[in-house]
Amino acid sequence: MPSRVIINADDFGLSTSNNQVIVAAFCQGLISSATLMANTPAFDEACQLIHAHKLHGRIGLHVN
C-alpha cells in the first residue's frame, strides 16, 4: 500500500506574515494543506489569497 504524508500549515489568517509564509510554502510544494483561522486580523487577506492562488480544497478550518 502506498504511503502518503500530509504536511499542514497552521494559523492561516493570523497575520500578514503568516499568510505570506504559508502561500510561499504552497508555491514551493512544501506543504499539502493549511488551516484557516476565522476572527483573526488577516482572515480577509487569507481568503483573498486562497482565491488568487487557487488553493480551494487544500484549506481546512482551524477552530479557535
Side-chain angles (χ1 to χ4, degrees):
M1 174 188 285
S3 296
R4 181 173 178 191
V5 175
I6 297 171
I7 300 174
N8 184 72
D10 207 12
D11 299 344
F12 199 25
L14 184 62
S15 68
T16 294
S17 60
N18 270 33
N19 291 349
Q20 291 171 348
V21 168
I22 289 172
V23 169
F26 270 121
C27 291
Q28 294 173 30
L30 300 174
I31 60 174
S32 310
S33 60
T35 50
L36 178 63
M37 295 178 74
N39 303 320
T40 55
F43 173 79
D44 291 334
E45 177 189 69
C47 291
Q48 292 171 0
L49 290 167
I50 291 166
H51 293 289
H53 293 276
K54 298 179 172 69
L55 298 174
H56 306 97
R58 300 179 73 184
I59 306 297
L61 177 61
H62 177 140
V63 179
N64 59 335

